[in-house]
Amino acid sequence: MFSKIFPKIHAEGYKFLVIAGIITIVFYILSNFLGLIGLVLTIWVYYFFRDPERVIIDDNNYLVSPADGEVIKVEEVDGPKELGLENKKFKKISVFMNVFDCHVNRTPCAGKIEEILYKPGKFVNASLDKASEDNERNYFKIKDPHNNNIIVVQIAGLVARRIVCESNKDQELKQGDRIGMIRFGSRADIYYENYEPLVKVGQKAISGETLLAKK
């Protein structure tokens, strides 16, 4: 119960928590009202950087969500041109993370990371279609146990200013392993082949737990 109320936080969050704490102290010195605002801000920072444990299905016949948030796209598209897959058809699911969602990203499947590609870009609203092509983003190309290409894209949002990658090329992943996070509002896209979607637009997804697609 304690871990649910006070989950551990991601390493990226500690410096922001310290900054928020200092601001809160200064605000309290100025006035109780400002101090209360600072306290609310500090609590929000703590929960933004939360990194709770998740129950992973550990089944290669399913893809799990790479992010917490709302499913905003379920469609068939060309593969990412940045990875040379623009002439190949993939199904794509997009999950939008607002500033209240957990922002730690996880791999949807077991497999080997064949490529990681970072692309700098703009910071338009991550819920918009053009965010997938214009925003700062980081691509993971993963070969799953069925020899399928699974692409996960971390996409920075309107106020996000840093994508954190915690994985390496040629790394072997277990389903649901943490691969990174995005700071302050963002989106995750997953491109996949030879699976059928299990979710609909508007559905809430939980990273590492929600089943997005099935063989």
Side-chain angles (χ1 to χ4, degrees):
M1 178 63 72
F2 182 85
S3 63
K4 290 184 178 180
I5 300 175
F6 299 104
K8 71 174 184 176
I9 67 171
H10 191 276
E12 284 285 313
Y14 287 109
K15 56 187 172 184
F16 290 97
L17 197 57
V18 170
I19 293 171
I22 293 172
I23 291 173
T24 299
I25 293 172
V26 172
F27 278 7
Y28 261 122
I29 293 173
L30 296 174
S31 79
N32 289 338
F33 177 72
L34 289 177
L36 181 60
I37 293 176
L39 179 60
V40 172
L41 174 64
T42 301
I43 293 172
W44 175 78
V45 169
Y46 173 83
Y47 277 97
F48 178 87
F49 285 99
R50 66 192 183 278
D51 184 12
E53 296 299 327
R54 296 287 163 81
V55 179
I56 312 300
I57 190 173
D58 194 22
D59 187 331
N60 293 329
N61 292 311
Y62 293 91
L63 299 177
V64 299
S65 179
D68 285 23
E70 180 184 354
V71 176
I72 60 172
K73 291 285 183 182
V74 180
E75 57 188 347
E76 184 171 321
V77 297
D78 296 330
K81 61 179 181 297
E82 291 83 356
L83 299 178
L85 298 171
E86 64 271 22
N87 295 320
K88 189 172 184 179
K89 287 294 183 182
F90 286 83
K91 291 186 175 71
K92 173 184 169 186
I93 296 175
S94 299
V95 179
F96 175 69
M97 294 169 271
N98 66 39
V99 294
F100 298 105
D101 289 317
C102 175
H103 276 57
V104 175
N105 303 134
R106 296 172 180 266
T107 175
C109 61
K112 181 179 180 180
I113 299 178
E114 293 191 329
E115 188 173 353
I116 298 177
L117 177 65
Y118 171 78
K119 297 288 288 186
K122 302 176 183 178
F123 297 96
V124 302
N125 190 329
S127 65
L128 301 177
D129 289 343
K130 63 181 180 178
S132 292
E133 298 181 357
D134 293 346
N135 280 20
E136 176 191 4
R137 55 206 184 276
N138 194 49
Y139 296 83
F140 297 87
K141 182 182 177 184
I142 303 167
K143 187 70 73 174
D144 79 356
H146 304 290
N147 206 37
N148 296 311
N149 290 317
I150 308 296
I151 314 298
V152 179
V153 190
Q154 295 174 293
I155 303 172
L158 184 63
V159 293
R161 286 297 181 270
R162 186 183 178 197
I163 292 176
V164 180
C165 177
E166 298 178 317
S167 304
N168 302 297
K169 183 179 178 182
D170 297 325
Q171 181 177 343
E172 293 285 348
L173 299 171
K174 296 179 181 178
Q175 188 175 51
D177 278 354
R178 296 168 177 85
I179 56 174
M181 77 167 298
I182 317 172
R183 295 204 307 229
F184 302 121
S186 42
R187 166 176 170 170
D189 289 346
I190 170 173
Y191 297 77
Y192 59 93
E193 53 183 356
N194 301 320
Y195 292 81
E196 293 302 319
L198 296 173
V199 293
K200 298 179 180 180
V201 171
Q203 183 175 332
K204 181 71 175 180
I206 302 298
S207 175
E209 294 189 355
T210 299
L211 306 180
L212 293 186
K214 180 181 180 180
K215 285 289 289 181

